[in-house]
Amino acid sequence: MYTKQALHELNISPAAMTAERADALETDGFYIAEGVLSLEECKRYAEAFEHIHAQEADQGGHEVHVEPGARRVSNIFNKTEAFDQLLEIDEVLAAAHHLLGEVKLHGANLRDPNKGYGHQDYHTDVPKLFADDWWVLNAIVLFDDMTLDNGPTRVIPGSHHWAPVNVPTVNQGDWEPAPLSAEDAARVPKDLGAAYPGETYVTAPAGSVVIINSSLWHSGTVKNSDDPRRVLHLTYTRRDLPQQLTQIDYLTPQLYDRLSPAQRYLMEVEPTSGDGVKRQRKRENAGWWN
């Protein structure tokens, strides 16, 4: 099987991503698709988030990382059937295929920052070796409204064409940053947590999906309200790269039986030769969130 075949079997057409949105992804590095989920679906997914997090509490997200100041849940598809349909969001899969070519699931993490927390330094999620060397697409699926008060994501449009900055250690693998050109060095601020000229705060109603090239400079911001801001970070990567969460290492028989052949391919839970799975090389430092 290959990606185009898998998408065909899932009845997902490349036309699910419009030419206008493809241009925005190329030029700005992100776009917002509203109305992808209904409010009823958002409520159901938010309730599933709350149910799992109530069981895991401060250990939520431990399969990837526990984040101080945020409620997290990882490895979601093995824990419940509630999120299965999110593996077939046409907008997300069409965008991932458009940006990356042959793709597979990279990670799926639920997150809700706590009041007074959520601010991050600007960073890119992944390295790149050369211009347009894209590694990961991040789809932020909103179960609640993302407003200026509840910790919206901030981005610098067009910055995916710049050098990577502040890449989390856990995502670096064997990559070593090259010396910056004078142009790129001038772009890096002394304080990556401060406001940046031209930055955009992403706001959107519940049911929207924010599609982001993970090479874009972006960060979380402080949550100033008690309103929930529950999202799913659903990421896809190229098939030659490791997953954030190696899905086959956590696979349950129940999940395997629920998946179609196309879904198993896109989750990479049926390696074709030997183990066949590329795993992320871990470094001692877990990342910038510590």
Side-chain angles (χ1 to χ4, degrees):
M1 190 173 291
Y2 56 104
T3 298
K4 190 173 183 180
Q5 179 186 358
L7 299 190
H8 175 77
E9 293 190 6
L10 295 173
N11 294 316
I12 295 174
S13 165
M17 182 188 189
T18 66
E20 181 181 17
R21 289 173 174 173
D23 288 343
L25 191 60
E26 165 62 24
T27 302
D28 298 329
F30 79 102
Y31 67 87
I32 302 169
E34 296 188 9
V36 176
L37 303 179
S38 69
L39 293 182
E40 181 180 348
E41 289 172 320
C42 290
K43 180 180 179 181
R44 188 167 69 247
Y45 294 136
E47 289 174 349
F49 178 8
E50 297 297 342
H51 177 73
I52 300 174
H53 192 270
Q55 300 173 13
E56 299 188 353
D58 59 2
Q59 290 303 302
H62 65 90
E63 298 92 340
V64 177
H65 72 269
V66 175
E67 180 184 353
R71 304 188 305 145
R72 296 183 68 96
V73 176
S74 299
N75 188 30
I76 63 173
F77 300 112
N78 285 298
K79 295 175 180 177
T80 177
E81 299 180 19
F83 301 106
D84 284 4
Q85 287 303 310
L86 297 178
L87 289 168
E88 296 187 17
I89 302 177
D90 54 1
E91 185 77 38
V92 174
L93 287 170
H97 184 41
H98 171 84
L99 183 70
L100 304 171
E102 292 297 312
V103 301
K104 62 186 175 186
L105 185 70
H106 175 258
N109 302 286
L110 301 166
R111 182 177 184 269
D112 179 24
N114 298 327
K115 184 177 181 180
Y117 293 86
H119 187 76
Q120 300 168 339
D121 286 350
Y122 269 115
H123 60 278
T124 54
D125 288 336
V126 290
K128 63 178 177 181
L129 303 179
F130 48 84
D132 75 10
D133 179 33
W134 312 133
W135 288 29
V136 171
L137 178 132
N138 183 6
I140 308 177
V141 184
L142 308 188
F143 302 154
D144 301 294
D145 295 345
M146 184 181 284
T147 71
L148 291 176
D149 291 328
N150 67 1
T153 300
R154 59 176 180 156
V155 302
I156 304 174
S159 58
H160 56 306
H161 293 299
W162 304 349
V165 64
N166 196 24
V167 178
T169 308
V170 72
N171 292 346
Q172 291 180 8
D174 295 326
W175 174 78
E176 296 292 343
L180 294 177
S181 67
E183 183 180 23
D184 279 323
R187 291 180 173 130
V188 180
K190 292 182 179 179
D191 182 3
L192 286 166
Y196 195 95
E199 69 184 7
T200 295
Y201 282 67
V202 178
T203 59
S208 301
V209 177
V210 185
I211 301 291
I212 299 178
N213 181 330
S214 291
S215 291
L216 191 72
W217 291 26
H218 66 280
S219 82
T221 62
V222 173
K223 185 178 184 181
N224 293 313
S225 76
D226 293 316
D227 296 333
R229 204 220 67 184
R230 294 161 293 196
V231 305
L232 168 63
H233 285 272
L234 187 63
T235 51
Y236 283 83
T237 190
R238 298 195 323 247
R239 293 196 72 86
D240 61 297
L241 295 172
Q243 295 171 311
Q244 180 189 60
L245 184 77
T246 307
Q247 295 294 325
I248 199 167
D249 291 346
Y250 292 87
L251 182 66
T252 62
Q254 293 81 7
L255 175 58
Y256 182 88
D257 289 343
R258 296 200 310 269
L259 297 174
S260 68
Q263 290 173 324
R264 293 170 189 165
Y265 175 79
L266 291 172
M267 289 191 77
E268 197 178 58
V269 293
E270 285 189 326
T272 56
S273 60
D275 180 76
V277 175
K278 183 181 286 292
R279 289 175 170 79
Q280 183 71 274
R281 186 175 74 84
K282 302 299 183 183
R283 297 194 176 191
E284 290 184 5
N285 183 354
W288 45 260
W289 48 79
N290 283 352

